[in-house]
Amino acid sequence: MKIGIIGLGRMGGNIARRLMRAGHETVVFDRNQPAIDALAADGAISASSLEDMKSKLDSPAIFWVMLPAGAPTEQTVSTIGDLCDAGDIVIDGGNSFYKDDVRRAKTLAEEGIRYVDVGTSGGVWGLERGYCMMIGGEKDAVDHIDPMLAALAPGLGTIPRTPGRMTNEGEDNRAEQGYIHAGPPGAGHFVKMVHNGIEYGLMQAYAEGFDILKGKASEHLAEDQRFDLNLTDIAEVWRRGSVISSWLLDLSAIALAKDMKLEEFTGSVADSGEGQWTIDAAMEEKVPANVLTAALFARYRSRVDHTFGDKLLSAMRFGFGGHVEMPQ
C-alpha cells in the first residue's frame, strides 16, 4: 500500500521507516527539508507540499498526520480535507483531543472523506519494538488500512498469551498483535488519552518511591536509621522477577545507571495535555481518579519546586519519548 505521512519528527519518521521495511510505499512531507531528505535516502517518495503529496498517492488516497495536537494538526487536517476526494482517508496519529476527532470526522464525512484517529504509543523505540495502537473510525476505513496497521504493530512477540482470553465473544483478535479497533471516530484517542493518564500515575509512583529511597540517607534521621542505598542496584533488582517490573522501570534503571544523581535533569516535568483531559473525562463521568489527579498536580508543582523524584519523571519521559523538560 501507499501512504502519505505528514510530520517526520521523533515518531513520524520512524513510522515511515517501519512501513517501508514491511514493503509499503510512503510519500513524506515536513516543513523541515532535511527530514524529508533523510527519509528519501531510505527509500521514501518526497513531496514538496500537501498538494504534491496528493498527486503522488493512489486512490483512495491515505494521509497520516503525525503532528502536535492543536493548531498544527487542525490546520493540516483542514487543508488535506480540501484536497481529498470522496473515499479518501485522513488519519490523525498524534495525541489529539478525542472530541476534536468526533467533530472532524463529521465535517469530513459530509464530503465523503473517511477519518481515522490512531492513538499511538511506542515513542522513539517504535521503529524496532513496534507501535501499540488504539484506533477509532468507521469499520470500512479501518479495515482498508489494516495491512499498514499490522506492519506498524509489535506483533505477538514473546509476551505469553493471556489464559482464557479467546473464550469470550466480541474480542478483537488484533489486540494480541498490539492494536485494536476501539470504536467510532474519537474512540482511539479517548483510549490513548486514558492510557497516558495511567502513565502519569505509574510514573509518579516510581518517582515517589525512589524519592523515599534516596531520602533514607538524610541527616535529619537518627544515624542508626540512615541507609545510603544504591538506587541503581535497586532499580536493577526490581526489574528481575519483581511484581513492579515494567518498561518504565527499565527506563528508570537505564537513567540511574548512567547517573544515579540524574544531574542532567532539573526536575521541571512537562505534560502534553492528556493527563488533564483524562481528569476532565473523569469529572464528566463522575468517576473518582485520585491517583491520576495527584500525579497531574505533581507535575504542575514540579515547575516551581523540584525533587529527585521529579528528575526521575523527566528521565523516564526522555527515555520513552525523547521529551525535553519545561524551560526554566
Side-chain angles (χ1 to χ4, degrees), residues 240-263:
R240 303 181 183 278
S242 163
V243 73
I244 62 168
S245 59
S246 72
W247 186 28
L248 290 171
L249 182 58
D250 294 345
L251 295 172
S252 298
I254 291 170
L256 290 166
K258 182 180 177 182
D259 172 19
M260 191 160 62
K261 295 182 179 180
L262 302 177
E263 290 185 334

Side-chain angles (χ1 to χ4, degrees), residues 111-193:
E111 304 298 325
I113 302 164
R114 297 175 287 179
Y115 182 89
V116 177
D117 52 287
V118 180
T120 311
S121 181
V124 296
W125 300 76
L127 177 60
E128 302 302 332
R129 293 171 58 111
Y131 298 92
C132 174
M133 293 171 290
M134 298 134 271
I135 302 141
E138 299 304 327
K139 186 177 184 301
D140 67 323
V142 176
D143 287 348
H144 184 83
I145 63 173
D146 187 76
M148 291 184 296
L149 298 172
L152 290 172
L156 190 61
T158 59
I159 298 174
R161 305 188 82 165
T162 302
R165 171 181 156 74
M166 299 315 297
T167 62
N168 300 320
E169 294 183 3
E171 291 174 340
D172 190 338
N173 293 340
R174 294 171 293 190
E176 287 190 319
Q177 304 298 317
Y179 68 114
I180 56 168
H181 181 193
H189 276 150
F190 183 80
V191 175
K192 177 57 163 51
M193 177 190 79

Side-chain angles (χ1 to χ4, degrees), residues 122-312:
V124 296
W125 300 76
L127 177 60
E128 302 302 332
R129 293 171 58 111
Y131 298 92
C132 174
M133 293 171 290
M134 298 134 271
I135 302 141
E138 299 304 327
K139 186 177 184 301
D140 67 323
V142 176
D143 287 348
H144 184 83
I145 63 173
D146 187 76
M148 291 184 296
L149 298 172
L152 290 172
L156 190 61
T158 59
I159 298 174
R161 305 188 82 165
T162 302
R165 171 181 156 74
M166 299 315 297
T167 62
N168 300 320
E169 294 183 3
E171 291 174 340
D172 190 338
N173 293 340
R174 294 171 293 190
E176 287 190 319
Q177 304 298 317
Y179 68 114
I180 56 168
H181 181 193
H189 276 150
F190 183 80
V191 175
K192 177 57 163 51
M193 177 190 79
V194 177
H195 162 285
N196 283 20
I198 292 170
E199 176 188 293
Y200 282 32
L202 292 172
M203 292 171 70
Q204 186 64 27
Y206 285 121
E208 291 178 9
F210 278 94
D211 226 356
I212 294 168
L213 291 169
K214 184 176 183 297
K216 195 58 176 170
S218 174
E219 292 183 357
H220 77 265
L221 296 173
E223 187 172 354
D224 63 353
Q225 295 180 22
R226 298 176 200 164
F227 303 145
D228 188 10
L229 300 169
N230 187 307
L231 304 187
T232 302
D233 288 347
I234 293 170
E236 187 63 29
V237 75
W238 282 352
R239 292 182 61 221
R240 303 181 183 278
S242 163
V243 73
I244 62 168
S245 59
S246 72
W247 186 28
L248 290 171
L249 182 58
D250 294 345
L251 295 172
S252 298
I254 291 170
L256 290 166
K258 182 180 177 182
D259 172 19
M260 191 160 62
K261 295 182 179 180
L262 302 177
E263 290 185 334
E264 69 176 286
F265 299 100
T266 67
S268 182
V269 187
D271 71 283
S272 49
E274 296 89 348
Q276 180 178 332
W277 298 340
T278 302
I279 305 310
D280 290 343
M283 294 178 67
E284 288 178 359
E285 299 167 20
K286 297 180 172 57
V287 173
N290 302 328
V291 171
L292 307 191
T293 303
L296 176 64
F297 287 176
R299 294 196 178 195
Y300 295 161
R301 188 265 310 142
S302 78
R303 296 165 200 172
V304 295
D305 179 25
H306 317 314
T307 68
F308 178 79
D310 297 330
K311 291 186 176 185
L312 189 62

